[in-house]
Amino acid sequence: MKPFIYNANPARVIFGSGTILQISEEVKRLGIKRPLVLSTPEQAKHAARVEELLAGVDGIQSAGQFNKATMHTPLDVTLEALKVVEDRQVDGVIAIGGGSTIGLGKAIALKTDLPQIVLPTTYAGSEMTPIIGQTENGVKTTQSTAKVLPEVVIYDVEFTLSLPSGLSATSGVNAIAHAVEALYAQNGNPVVSLMAEEGIRALAKALPIIVENPEDKEARSDALYGAWLCASCLGLVGMSVHHKLCHVLGGTFNLPHAETHTIVLAHALAYNAPNIPEALSQIARALGHENAVEGLNVLLTKLKVKRALKDIGMAEVGIDKAADLAVKNAYWNPRQIEKEGIREVIRRAWAGEPAAANI
Ligand code: NAD
Protein backbone atom coordinates (compact mmCIF):
# COMPACT_ATOMS: atom_id res chain seq x y z
CA MET A 1 0.00 0.00 0.00
CA LYS A 2 1.41 3.41 -1.01
CA PRO A 3 1.25 6.20 1.61
CA PHE A 4 -1.76 8.50 1.26
CA ILE A 5 -3.75 11.30 2.91
CA TYR A 6 -7.54 11.00 2.91
CA ASN A 7 -9.58 14.17 3.41
CA ALA A 8 -13.35 13.61 3.41
CA ASN A 9 -15.95 16.30 2.78
CA PRO A 10 -18.92 16.39 5.15
CA ALA A 11 -21.99 15.13 3.28
CA ARG A 12 -25.56 14.11 3.93
CA VAL A 13 -26.84 12.20 0.90
CA ILE A 14 -30.35 10.85 0.49
CA PHE A 15 -30.70 8.50 -2.47
CA GLY A 16 -33.70 6.79 -4.00
CA SER A 17 -36.89 7.21 -5.96
CA GLY A 18 -39.52 9.65 -4.68
CA THR A 19 -37.01 11.05 -2.16
CA ILE A 20 -38.26 14.57 -2.91
CA LEU A 21 -41.02 13.75 -0.44
CA GLN A 22 -38.39 14.15 2.31
CA ILE A 23 -37.76 17.79 1.42
CA SER A 24 -39.78 19.39 4.23
CA GLU A 25 -38.08 17.20 6.86
CA GLU A 26 -34.69 18.24 5.53
CA VAL A 27 -35.65 21.92 5.45
CA LYS A 28 -36.76 21.66 9.08
CA ARG A 29 -33.66 19.70 10.09
CA LEU A 30 -31.51 22.60 8.88
CA GLY A 31 -33.74 25.12 10.68
CA ILE A 32 -34.67 26.88 7.42
CA LYS A 33 -37.88 28.91 7.65
CA ARG A 34 -37.81 30.99 4.42
CA PRO A 35 -36.34 28.81 1.62
CA LEU A 36 -35.84 30.15 -1.91
CA VAL A 37 -36.20 27.53 -4.66
CA LEU A 38 -33.76 27.83 -7.59
CA SER A 39 -34.04 26.40 -11.11
CA THR A 40 -33.42 27.18 -14.78
CA PRO A 41 -36.40 28.63 -16.73
CA GLU A 42 -36.95 25.17 -18.33
CA GLN A 43 -37.17 23.44 -14.94
CA ALA A 44 -39.53 25.90 -13.22
CA LYS A 45 -42.13 23.13 -12.92
CA HIS A 46 -39.77 21.14 -10.69
CA ALA A 47 -39.26 24.21 -8.50
CA ALA A 48 -43.05 24.54 -8.31
CA ARG A 49 -43.27 20.90 -7.15
CA VAL A 50 -40.84 21.66 -4.31
CA GLU A 51 -42.91 24.69 -3.27
CA GLU A 52 -46.04 22.57 -3.37
CA LEU A 53 -44.48 20.08 -0.95
CA LEU A 54 -43.51 22.87 1.44
CA ALA A 55 -46.90 24.59 1.37
CA GLY A 56 -48.74 24.34 4.67
CA VAL A 57 -45.79 22.78 6.54
CA ASP A 58 -45.63 24.18 10.06
CA GLY A 59 -42.82 26.68 10.53
CA ILE A 60 -41.88 26.94 6.83
CA GLN A 61 -43.00 29.73 4.55
CA SER A 62 -41.54 29.54 1.05
CA ALA A 63 -39.82 32.70 -0.18
CA GLY A 64 -40.83 31.70 -3.71
CA GLN A 65 -38.76 30.77 -6.74
CA PHE A 66 -35.87 32.23 -8.71
CA ASN A 67 -35.84 30.53 -12.12
CA LYS A 68 -33.01 32.27 -13.94
CA ALA A 69 -30.07 29.91 -13.30
CA THR A 70 -27.67 30.10 -16.27
CA MET A 71 -24.66 28.07 -17.46
CA HIS A 72 -21.28 29.17 -15.98
CA THR A 73 -22.86 31.19 -13.11
CA PRO A 74 -22.73 34.71 -14.59
CA LEU A 75 -22.26 37.41 -11.95
CA ASP A 76 -25.26 39.51 -13.05
CA VAL A 77 -27.65 36.59 -12.41
CA THR A 78 -26.07 35.96 -9.00
CA LEU A 79 -26.44 39.63 -8.07
CA GLU A 80 -30.11 39.56 -9.04
CA ALA A 81 -30.65 36.43 -6.95
CA LEU A 82 -28.81 37.97 -3.98
CA LYS A 83 -31.18 40.94 -4.13
CA VAL A 84 -34.15 38.52 -3.94
CA VAL A 85 -32.46 36.76 -0.99
CA GLU A 86 -32.17 40.06 0.85
CA ASP A 87 -35.61 41.46 -0.05
CA ARG A 88 -37.46 38.27 0.90
CA GLN A 89 -35.38 37.49 4.03
CA VAL A 90 -34.37 34.13 2.65
CA ASP A 91 -32.55 31.87 5.15
CA GLY A 92 -31.73 28.87 2.94
CA VAL A 93 -31.73 27.80 -0.72
CA ILE A 94 -33.06 24.71 -2.47
CA ALA A 95 -31.47 24.14 -5.89
CA ILE A 96 -33.23 21.71 -8.22
CA GLY A 97 -31.43 21.14 -11.52
CA GLY A 98 -28.06 20.51 -13.11
CA GLY A 99 -24.69 22.16 -12.60
CA SER A 100 -25.98 25.58 -13.64
CA THR A 101 -28.66 25.71 -10.94
CA ILE A 102 -26.39 24.16 -8.32
CA GLY A 103 -23.75 26.75 -9.28
CA LEU A 104 -26.20 29.56 -8.54
CA GLY A 105 -26.99 28.07 -5.11
CA LYS A 106 -23.25 27.87 -4.40
CA ALA A 107 -22.72 31.46 -5.52
CA ILE A 108 -25.42 32.58 -3.07
CA ALA A 109 -23.85 30.49 -0.28
CA LEU A 110 -20.43 31.97 -1.04
CA LYS A 111 -21.71 35.48 -0.33
CA THR A 112 -24.21 34.70 2.46
CA ASP A 113 -23.19 31.37 4.04
CA LEU A 114 -26.83 30.25 3.76
CA PRO A 115 -27.46 26.47 3.93
CA GLN A 116 -28.16 24.65 0.65
CA ILE A 117 -30.30 21.63 -0.17
CA VAL A 118 -29.61 20.31 -3.66
CA LEU A 119 -31.66 17.99 -5.88
CA PRO A 120 -29.43 17.16 -8.89
CA THR A 121 -31.16 16.36 -12.18
CA THR A 122 -28.07 15.71 -14.37
CA TYR A 123 -24.90 13.66 -13.84
CA ALA A 124 -22.45 16.62 -13.86
CA GLY A 125 -21.63 16.27 -10.14
CA SER A 126 -21.32 19.82 -8.76
CA GLU A 127 -23.46 18.87 -5.73
CA MET A 128 -20.61 16.91 -4.07
CA THR A 129 -17.81 19.44 -4.57
CA PRO A 130 -16.52 22.52 -2.75
CA ILE A 131 -15.73 24.02 -6.19
CA ILE A 132 -17.46 27.06 -7.68
CA GLY A 133 -16.88 28.56 -11.10
CA GLN A 134 -18.24 32.05 -11.82
CA THR A 135 -18.20 34.23 -14.93
CA GLU A 136 -17.70 37.98 -14.98
CA ASN A 137 -17.28 39.92 -18.24
CA GLY A 138 -16.90 36.63 -20.09
CA VAL A 139 -14.02 35.44 -17.87
CA LYS A 140 -14.62 32.29 -15.80
CA THR A 141 -12.76 31.90 -12.52
CA THR A 142 -12.90 28.88 -10.25
CA GLN A 143 -12.29 28.58 -6.52
CA SER A 144 -12.58 25.87 -3.92
CA THR A 145 -14.04 26.61 -0.48
CA ALA A 146 -15.98 24.54 2.04
CA LYS A 147 -18.45 27.47 2.24
CA VAL A 148 -20.14 26.34 -1.00
CA LEU A 149 -20.43 22.64 -0.18
CA PRO A 150 -24.17 21.82 0.00
CA GLU A 151 -25.44 20.70 3.42
CA VAL A 152 -27.85 18.11 1.99
CA VAL A 153 -28.03 16.36 -1.39
CA ILE A 154 -31.27 14.58 -2.28
CA TYR A 155 -30.87 12.29 -5.28
CA ASP A 156 -34.29 11.47 -6.68
CA VAL A 157 -34.15 9.15 -9.69
CA GLU A 158 -37.59 10.40 -10.81
CA PHE A 159 -36.18 13.81 -11.73
CA THR A 160 -33.61 12.29 -14.08
CA LEU A 161 -36.18 10.47 -16.23
CA SER A 162 -36.83 13.60 -18.31
CA LEU A 163 -33.14 14.18 -19.13
CA PRO A 164 -33.04 13.68 -22.92
CA SER A 165 -31.03 10.66 -24.11
CA GLY A 166 -28.33 12.80 -25.78
CA LEU A 167 -27.74 14.91 -22.67
CA SER A 168 -27.94 11.80 -20.46
CA ALA A 169 -25.10 10.25 -22.49
CA THR A 170 -22.82 13.29 -22.46
CA SER A 171 -23.61 14.21 -18.86
CA GLY A 172 -22.82 10.60 -17.90
CA VAL A 173 -19.46 10.72 -19.70
CA ASN A 174 -18.80 14.06 -17.95
CA ALA A 175 -19.20 12.11 -14.68
CA ILE A 176 -16.97 9.27 -15.89
CA ALA A 177 -14.27 11.86 -16.65
CA HIS A 178 -14.13 12.86 -12.96
CA ALA A 179 -13.54 9.23 -11.96
CA VAL A 180 -10.98 8.60 -14.72
CA GLU A 181 -8.84 11.53 -13.56
CA ALA A 182 -9.36 10.57 -9.89
CA LEU A 183 -7.70 7.22 -10.62
CA TYR A 184 -4.42 8.97 -11.48
CA ALA A 185 -4.74 12.04 -9.24
CA GLN A 186 -1.59 13.20 -7.46
CA ASN A 187 -3.50 13.14 -4.15
CA GLY A 188 -5.43 9.96 -5.00
CA ASN A 189 -6.09 7.34 -2.33
CA PRO A 190 -7.54 3.83 -2.12
CA VAL A 191 -11.04 4.93 -1.03
CA VAL A 192 -11.39 7.38 -3.91
CA SER A 193 -10.10 4.71 -6.32
CA LEU A 194 -12.79 2.28 -5.13
CA MET A 195 -15.47 4.92 -5.70
CA ALA A 196 -14.03 5.87 -9.08
CA GLU A 197 -13.92 2.33 -10.44
CA GLU A 198 -17.42 1.54 -9.18
CA GLY A 199 -18.74 4.86 -10.55
CA ILE A 200 -17.35 4.15 -14.04
CA ARG A 201 -18.71 0.61 -13.92
CA ALA A 202 -22.23 1.71 -12.96
CA LEU A 203 -22.39 4.45 -15.61
CA ALA A 204 -20.84 2.37 -18.39
CA LYS A 205 -23.48 -0.30 -17.77
CA ALA A 206 -26.43 2.08 -17.47
CA LEU A 207 -25.83 4.73 -20.13
CA PRO A 208 -26.23 2.53 -23.24
CA ILE A 209 -29.55 1.29 -21.83
CA ILE A 210 -30.71 4.86 -21.11
CA VAL A 211 -29.82 6.00 -24.64
CA GLU A 212 -32.17 3.32 -25.98
CA ASN A 213 -34.85 3.86 -23.34
CA PRO A 214 -34.56 7.06 -21.25
CA GLU A 215 -37.36 5.90 -18.96
CA ASP A 216 -35.69 2.65 -17.85
CA LYS A 217 -35.80 3.21 -14.09
CA GLU A 218 -33.26 0.58 -13.12
CA ALA A 219 -30.67 2.01 -15.52
CA ARG A 220 -31.53 5.55 -14.37
CA SER A 221 -30.98 4.49 -10.77
CA ASP A 222 -27.61 2.86 -11.60
CA ALA A 223 -26.54 5.95 -13.56
CA LEU A 224 -27.42 8.34 -10.73
CA TYR A 225 -25.60 6.12 -8.24
CA GLY A 226 -22.55 6.12 -10.52
CA ALA A 227 -22.80 9.89 -10.96
CA TRP A 228 -22.83 10.36 -7.18
CA LEU A 229 -19.66 8.27 -6.81
CA CYS A 230 -17.91 10.13 -9.64
CA ALA A 231 -19.02 13.48 -8.16
CA SER A 232 -17.56 12.45 -4.81
CA CYS A 233 -14.24 11.76 -6.55
CA LEU A 234 -14.33 15.23 -8.13
CA GLY A 235 -14.89 16.76 -4.69
CA LEU A 236 -12.05 14.84 -3.04
CA VAL A 237 -9.00 14.85 -5.33
CA GLY A 238 -7.34 17.08 -7.94
CA MET A 239 -8.11 16.84 -11.65
CA SER A 240 -5.51 16.84 -14.45
CA VAL A 241 -5.09 17.56 -18.15
CA HIS A 242 -8.54 16.41 -19.25
CA HIS A 243 -10.34 18.90 -16.98
CA LYS A 244 -7.84 21.65 -17.85
CA LEU A 245 -8.51 21.11 -21.57
CA CYS A 246 -12.28 21.17 -21.06
CA HIS A 247 -12.12 24.37 -19.00
CA VAL A 248 -10.00 26.05 -21.66
CA LEU A 249 -12.16 24.84 -24.57
CA GLY A 250 -15.48 25.56 -22.84
CA GLY A 251 -14.39 28.96 -21.52
CA THR A 252 -12.61 30.21 -24.66
CA PHE A 253 -15.00 29.01 -27.35
CA ASN A 254 -18.21 28.78 -25.27
CA LEU A 255 -18.58 25.08 -26.10
CA PRO A 256 -21.27 23.03 -24.33
CA HIS A 257 -19.91 21.58 -21.08
CA ALA A 258 -20.94 17.90 -21.19
CA GLU A 259 -20.34 17.46 -24.95
CA THR A 260 -16.83 18.89 -24.65
CA HIS A 261 -15.96 16.45 -21.85
CA THR A 262 -17.36 13.60 -23.93
CA ILE A 263 -15.23 14.40 -26.98
CA VAL A 264 -11.97 15.12 -25.13
CA LEU A 265 -11.88 12.30 -22.56
CA ALA A 266 -10.52 9.40 -24.63
CA HIS A 267 -7.85 11.67 -26.18
CA ALA A 268 -6.70 12.98 -22.79
CA LEU A 269 -6.56 9.42 -21.47
CA ALA A 270 -4.52 8.35 -24.51
CA TYR A 271 -2.06 11.20 -23.85
CA ASN A 272 -1.58 10.09 -20.23
CA ALA A 273 -1.60 6.36 -21.03
CA PRO A 274 2.20 5.77 -21.00
CA ASN A 275 2.43 7.00 -17.38
CA ILE A 276 -0.65 5.45 -15.72
CA PRO A 277 -0.55 1.64 -16.07
CA GLU A 278 -2.47 0.97 -12.82
CA ALA A 279 -5.26 3.46 -13.61
CA LEU A 280 -5.54 2.05 -17.13
CA SER A 281 -6.19 -1.45 -15.83
CA GLN A 282 -8.76 -0.15 -13.30
CA ILE A 283 -10.57 1.82 -16.03
CA ALA A 284 -10.44 -1.15 -18.42
CA ARG A 285 -11.86 -3.46 -15.72
CA ALA A 286 -14.67 -0.98 -14.99
CA LEU A 287 -15.50 -0.72 -18.69
CA GLY A 288 -15.43 -4.50 -19.17
CA HIS A 289 -12.82 -4.20 -21.91
CA GLU A 290 -9.19 -5.26 -22.05
CA ASN A 291 -7.97 -1.81 -23.09
CA ALA A 292 -9.11 1.42 -21.39
CA VAL A 293 -8.89 3.78 -24.40
CA GLU A 294 -10.49 1.21 -26.69
CA GLY A 295 -13.16 0.51 -24.07
CA LEU A 296 -14.02 4.21 -23.95
CA ASN A 297 -14.18 4.35 -27.76
CA VAL A 298 -16.60 1.39 -27.74
CA LEU A 299 -18.78 3.03 -25.06
CA LEU A 300 -18.90 6.34 -26.99
CA THR A 301 -19.95 4.51 -30.15
CA LYS A 302 -22.80 2.81 -28.25
CA LEU A 303 -23.88 6.19 -26.87
CA LYS A 304 -24.10 7.70 -30.38
CA VAL A 305 -22.53 10.95 -29.19
CA LYS A 306 -20.74 13.57 -31.28
CA ARG A 307 -17.02 12.86 -31.51
CA ALA A 308 -15.56 16.05 -33.00
CA LEU A 309 -15.11 19.54 -31.52
CA LYS A 310 -15.64 20.91 -35.02
CA ASP A 311 -19.21 19.55 -34.82
CA ILE A 312 -20.04 21.42 -31.61
CA GLY A 313 -18.99 24.88 -32.72
CA MET A 314 -15.18 25.10 -32.56
CA ALA A 315 -13.34 26.60 -35.54
CA GLU A 316 -10.05 25.05 -36.74
CA VAL A 317 -8.15 28.29 -36.06
CA GLY A 318 -8.93 27.75 -32.36
CA ILE A 319 -6.61 24.73 -32.11
CA ASP A 320 -3.42 26.77 -31.63
CA LYS A 321 -5.05 29.20 -29.21
CA ALA A 322 -6.41 26.31 -27.13
CA ALA A 323 -2.99 24.61 -27.08
CA ASP A 324 -1.33 27.86 -25.91
CA LEU A 325 -3.87 28.30 -23.11
CA ALA A 326 -3.85 24.64 -22.05
CA VAL A 327 -0.11 24.62 -21.33
CA LYS A 328 -0.31 27.87 -19.31
CA ASN A 329 -0.88 27.32 -15.56
CA ALA A 330 -1.28 23.62 -16.31
CA TYR A 331 -2.79 21.43 -13.56
CA TRP A 332 -0.56 18.70 -12.14
CA ASN A 333 -0.60 15.80 -14.63
CA PRO A 334 0.92 12.31 -14.57
CA ARG A 335 2.63 12.98 -17.91
CA GLN A 336 4.55 16.18 -18.51
CA ILE A 337 2.48 18.75 -20.40
CA GLU A 338 4.22 19.32 -23.74
CA LYS A 339 2.84 21.84 -26.18
CA GLU A 340 3.19 19.67 -29.30
CA GLY A 341 1.52 16.64 -27.71
CA ILE A 342 -1.30 18.74 -26.28
CA ARG A 343 -1.84 20.43 -29.64
CA GLU A 344 -2.11 16.99 -31.22
CA VAL A 345 -4.68 15.92 -28.57
CA ILE A 346 -6.76 19.00 -29.39
CA ARG A 347 -6.33 18.55 -33.15
CA ARG A 348 -7.50 14.94 -33.01
CA ALA A 349 -10.46 15.86 -30.78
CA TRP A 350 -11.31 18.72 -33.14
CA ALA A 351 -11.21 16.49 -36.22
CA GLY A 352 -13.06 13.62 -34.52
CA GLU A 353 -10.29 11.08 -35.12
CA PRO A 354 -10.40 7.99 -32.90
CA ALA A 355 -8.26 8.34 -29.77
CA ALA A 356 -5.07 6.31 -29.94
CA ALA A 357 -2.17 6.01 -27.53
CA ASN A 358 0.62 7.14 -29.86
CA ILE A 359 0.95 10.85 -29.17
P1 NAD B 1 -27.06 22.46 -16.93
O1 NAD B 1 -27.32 22.56 -15.48
O2 NAD B 1 -26.60 23.70 -17.63
O3 NAD B 1 -28.35 21.89 -17.65
C1 NAD B 1 -28.39 21.80 -19.06
C2 NAD B 1 -29.83 21.93 -19.55
O4 NAD B 1 -30.54 20.76 -19.21
C3 NAD B 1 -30.60 23.10 -18.92
O5 NAD B 1 -31.39 23.69 -19.92
C4 NAD B 1 -31.47 22.42 -17.87
O6 NAD B 1 -32.66 23.12 -17.62
C5 NAD B 1 -31.75 21.08 -18.53
N1 NAD B 1 -31.98 19.97 -17.60
C6 NAD B 1 -31.28 19.68 -16.48
N2 NAD B 1 -31.78 18.57 -15.91
C7 NAD B 1 -32.80 18.14 -16.70
C8 NAD B 1 -33.71 17.03 -16.64
N3 NAD B 1 -33.62 16.11 -15.68
N4 NAD B 1 -34.64 16.93 -17.60
C9 NAD B 1 -34.72 17.83 -18.63
N5 NAD B 1 -33.89 18.88 -18.74
C10 NAD B 1 -32.94 19.03 -17.79
O7 NAD B 1 -26.01 21.31 -17.29
P2 NAD B 1 -24.93 20.52 -16.43
O8 NAD B 1 -24.09 19.80 -17.42
O9 NAD B 1 -25.55 19.76 -15.33
O10 NAD B 1 -24.06 21.66 -15.74
C11 NAD B 1 -23.08 22.38 -16.42
C12 NAD B 1 -22.56 23.49 -15.54
O11 NAD B 1 -22.18 22.98 -14.26
C13 NAD B 1 -21.33 24.17 -16.10
O12 NAD B 1 -21.41 25.56 -15.85
C14 NAD B 1 -20.20 23.54 -15.30
O13 NAD B 1 -19.06 24.36 -15.24
C15 NAD B 1 -20.85 23.34 -13.96
N6 NAD B 1 -20.24 22.26 -13.16
C16 NAD B 1 -19.66 22.61 -11.98
C17 NAD B 1 -19.09 21.64 -11.18
C18 NAD B 1 -18.47 22.02 -9.87
O14 NAD B 1 -17.99 21.16 -9.14
N7 NAD B 1 -18.46 23.29 -9.51
C19 NAD B 1 -19.12 20.29 -11.57
C20 NAD B 1 -19.72 19.96 -12.78
C21 NAD B 1 -20.30 20.95 -13.57
Side-chain angles (χ1 to χ4, degrees):
M1 181 60 65
K2 287 187 220 136
F4 62 87
I5 296 176
Y6 176 64
N7 259 324
N9 290 324
R12 176 172 168 82
V13 173
I14 296 170
F15 186 95
S17 228
T19 43
I20 194 173
L21 295 175
Q22 295 175 45
I23 189 81
S24 60
E25 266 168 61
E26 293 304 316
V27 170
K28 278 195 201 164
R29 215 183 55 83
L30 289 173
I32 301 173
K33 295 185 171 58
R34 293 275 294 155
L36 180 69
V37 189
L38 311 173
S39 77
T40 57
E42 301 83 33
Q43 293 195 290
K45 63 176 186 302
H46 294 334
R49 173 81 180 118
V50 170
E51 275 209 286
E52 206 179 284
L53 288 167
L54 296 177
V57 177
D58 236 13
I60 303 173
Q61 200 191 7
S62 170
Q65 301 173 32
F66 183 85
N67 311 115
K68 296 186 190 170
T70 309
M71 181 95 93
H72 304 311
T73 331
L75 186 67
D76 55 335
V77 176
T78 302
L79 292 176
E80 200 183 328
L82 283 167
K83 174 99 178 53
V84 172
V85 166
E86 199 184 329
D87 290 351
R88 300 189 199 162
Q89 292 158 354
V90 169
D91 62 356
V93 293
I94 302 174
I96 181 158
S100 298
T101 308
I102 300 168
L104 176 60
K106 286 177 161 181
I108 294 172
L110 183 67
K111 285 275 188 302
T112 61
D113 239 342
L114 290 182
Q116 307 163 68
I117 300 177
V118 171
L119 289 105
T121 62
T122 69
Y123 306 131
S126 178
E127 66 278 3
M128 296 305 297
T129 82
I131 306 162
I132 171 159
Q134 302 190 93
T135 314
E136 189 178 0
N137 301 326
V139 179
K140 186 163 176 172
T141 51
T142 304
Q143 59 175 299
S144 182
T145 159
K147 247 179 152 180
V148 304
L149 197 66
E151 275 68 10
V152 178
V153 178
I154 302 180
Y155 285 104
D156 189 337
V157 178
E158 298 295 321
F159 284 97
T160 62
L161 296 179
S162 58
L163 195 63
S165 58
L167 187 51
S168 299
T170 54
S171 191
V173 179
N174 182 188
I176 289 176
H178 309 326
V180 164
E181 294 229 285
L183 284 167
Y184 52 70
Q186 187 181 27
N187 57 347
N189 61 67
V191 175
V192 164
S193 293
L194 283 173
M195 292 197 286
E197 194 174 329
E198 173 70 355
I200 297 170
R201 190 201 57 75
L203 280 158
K205 177 175 160 236
L207 294 175
I209 302 170
I210 290 170
V211 165
E212 295 308 322
N213 178 12
E215 296 199 3
D216 185 310
K217 283 201 186 174
E218 201 182 317
R220 282 293 188 185
S221 182
D222 285 349
L224 196 57
Y225 160 69
W228 165 56
L229 292 171
C230 294
S232 302
C233 295
L234 177 66
L236 290 171
V237 296
M239 296 288 115
S240 299
V241 71
H242 167 78
H243 281 73
K244 173 72 181 184
L245 282 169
C246 292
H247 291 164
V248 163
L249 291 163
T252 314
F253 309 110
N254 198 25
L255 304 182
H257 180 81
E259 284 90 333
T260 307
H261 272 272
T262 301
I263 292 168
V264 172
L265 182 60
H267 297 280
L269 184 61
Y271 180 82
N272 280 337
N275 293 38
I276 52 165
E278 197 181 336
L280 283 181
S281 58
Q282 288 163 309
I283 296 163
R285 191 162 60 209
L287 292 170
H289 200 283
E290 57 193 38
N291 177 290
V293 176
E294 257 315 293
L296 259 183
N297 280 333
V298 169
L299 176 65
L300 295 174
T301 304
K302 280 192 207 159
L303 299 182
K304 303 174 190 148
V305 286
K306 288 189 181 147
R307 305 292 294 274
L309 295 172
K310 67 177 180 187
D311 293 340
I312 61 165
M314 182 175 161
E316 190 170 6
V317 289
I319 296 174
D320 282 313
K321 185 173 181 189
D324 282 341
L325 291 171
V327 299
K328 258 190 220 154
N329 305 320
Y331 305 167
W332 178 88
N333 193 61
R335 177 175 166 189
Q336 204 181 346
I337 299 295
E338 288 146 4
K339 173 90 178 287
E340 271 322 293
I342 293 300
R343 189 193 182 282
E344 180 59 6
V345 164
I346 299 169
R347 190 202 62 74
R348 289 183 186 190
W350 178 83
E353 291 173 12
N358 63 345
I359 298 167

